[in-house]
Amino acid sequence: MQPGNDTWISGFLLLRFSEEPEVQPLIFWLFLSMYLITVFGNLLIILAVSSDPHLHTPMYFFLSNLSFVDICFTSTTIPKMLWNIQTQNKAITYEGCITQIYFFTLSAVLDVFLLTVMAYDRFVAICHPLHYTVIMNPWLCALLVLMSWIICLLNSLLQSLMVLRLSFCTNLEIPHFFCELNQMIQLACSDTFLNNMVMYFAAVLMGGGPFTGVLYSYSKIVSCICGISSLQGKYKAFSTCASHLSVVSLFYCTMLGVYLSSAGTHSSKSSATASVMYTVVTPMLNPFIYSLRNKDIKRALKAFF
């Protein structure tokens, strides 16, 4: 990669949340704890689903995939940040930065797609219960997950290749704890019009499309639940999608809050701090939401241990 001043870029500097030395151990242990909880919690979900034959259903098949993606999501950014704090070094190589962008974009968009697929699964289960096993057959479930992976892999590849065409000059400081796509584009000293167009088009297509699907699915679910005459029937129908609705609300609300706060403050540091909510906190809370609100998961975990 050759920038405008004819020197080769060896890497970038990832700025920390705080430069005060006494705060670094606190940040290190806080993020290490959240990372271990995230990995351990999501691994428990995967083990519970795989070990219990009663959980070999479309809903839990998608849930185990979501847990795997959440592990990848946090593993893309947190270990590097912890290593930098431990070694008192802010540097990340150019290749490492591109790799982070690729896998972070892949995991983030996969999260969105899987949440959308899970919303469709709950829609079929509640609104078309008699045809659920026919519609959500194993072939369709595998196809939905496979198509999600293929689309997200191609999108991440495109975004990463678009970054490769950029040139960088003297300002190599990224005001984030990981290499974020938008921050990288802002650092470039070459023309970024095409990069911005591709990034915003992908954001609308990959984010707006699934979000519309989630809203449509839950609008139909609410309509079906309201049409149920008995109170017990309404509660049973709502309980089948309560955990997923909680995860969807947490993910989209935190992400929306991050971008609204960053747009309002115009501060990269505040945006980096706020982004911790959906990059670290949400994947950590997902296993708790599913295990605490789901009797099947709790039963499977008890049987496993």
Side-chain angles (χ1 to χ4, degrees):
M1 180 64 195
Q2 195 171 9
N5 59 0
D6 294 330
T7 58
W8 291 86
I9 289 180
S10 59
F12 299 89
L13 295 178
L14 296 174
L15 302 185
R16 299 167 181 169
F17 294 103
S18 174
E19 298 297 328
E20 299 177 8
E22 61 273 13
V23 181
Q24 299 308 310
L26 175 62
I27 295 176
F28 177 84
W29 288 110
L30 177 63
F31 276 84
L32 178 61
S33 302
M34 290 193 293
Y35 177 66
L36 293 177
I37 292 171
T38 301
V39 173
F40 183 69
N42 282 287
L43 278 177
L44 281 180
I45 296 292
I46 296 173
L47 289 174
V49 173
S50 60
S51 63
D52 192 341
H54 294 96
L55 300 185
H56 294 173
T57 62
M59 174 183 172
Y60 295 108
F61 171 69
F62 297 137
L63 175 59
S64 60
N65 276 272
L66 181 68
S67 295
F68 173 75
V69 173
D70 279 342
I71 293 174
C72 298
F73 195 17
T74 53
S75 298
T76 303
T77 58
I78 301 303
K80 176 59 179 174
M81 187 194 73
L82 296 176
W83 175 259
N84 282 7
I85 293 176
Q86 188 68 16
T87 58
Q88 297 182 356
N89 183 15
K90 302 177 184 178
I92 183 171
T93 63
Y94 177 77
E95 294 78 8
C97 211
I98 299 297
T99 304
Q100 256 196 1
I101 288 175
Y102 179 83
F103 284 104
F104 179 82
T105 305
L106 171 64
S107 303
V109 180
L110 257 176
D111 254 5
V112 173
F113 271 62
L114 288 175
L115 288 174
T116 307
V117 171
M118 293 173 74
Y120 174 71
D121 173 72
R122 293 300 84 203
F123 157 71
V124 176
I126 293 174
C127 299
H128 304 283
L130 298 179
H131 302 93
Y132 177 73
T133 54
V134 177
I135 298 174
M136 300 303 297
N137 57 77
W139 184 86
L140 178 63
C141 295
L143 181 63
L144 288 172
V145 173
L146 179 62
M147 290 302 298
S148 298
W149 273 95
I150 292 174
I151 293 172
C152 294
L153 284 168
L154 292 176
N155 172 63
S156 300
L157 181 61
L158 174 62
Q159 299 291 352
S160 302
L161 291 176
M162 291 297 295
V163 175
L164 288 175
R165 63 182 288 274
L166 296 176
S167 297
F168 300 89
C169 298
T170 56
N171 183 17
L172 302 179
E173 293 184 344
I174 301 175
H176 226 299
F177 65 95
F178 65 94
C179 291
E180 201 260 340
L181 178 62
N182 187 42
Q183 296 290 340
M184 286 284 288
I185 294 176
Q186 291 180 17
L187 284 181
C189 58
S190 57
D191 181 38
T192 60
F193 175 76
L194 186 58
N195 291 77
N196 283 315
M197 287 294 294
V198 172
M199 180 181 65
Y200 289 125
F201 178 76
V204 172
L205 191 64
M206 304 290 177
F211 183 62
T212 303
V214 170
L215 289 179
Y216 177 79
S217 296
Y218 274 100
S219 66
K220 290 293 185 180
I221 288 172
V222 171
S223 177
C224 290
I225 291 177
C226 291
I228 299 175
S229 56
S230 67
L231 186 63
Q232 184 179 1
K234 289 182 178 180
Y235 176 78
K236 185 178 179 181
F238 178 75
S239 63
T240 62
C241 63
S243 298
H244 180 253
L245 183 59
S246 302
V247 171
V248 169
S249 302
L250 181 65
F251 183 81
Y252 279 108
C253 288
T254 53
M255 184 176 289
L256 186 61
V258 165
Y259 285 101
L260 287 178
S261 64
S262 62
T265 60
H266 300 287
S267 172
S268 299
K269 280 282 182 137
S270 62
S271 175
T273 305
S275 66
V276 173
M277 287 301 299
Y278 76 91
T279 58
V280 182
V281 176
T282 300
M284 180 185 69
L285 293 179
N286 286 355
F288 290 100
I289 294 173
Y290 279 109
S291 60
L292 294 177
R293 297 185 62 91
N294 193 297
K295 295 180 180 178
D296 294 332
I297 292 290
K298 287 191 286 187
R299 186 192 68 244
L301 288 174
K302 289 179 181 178
F304 180 79
F305 288 107

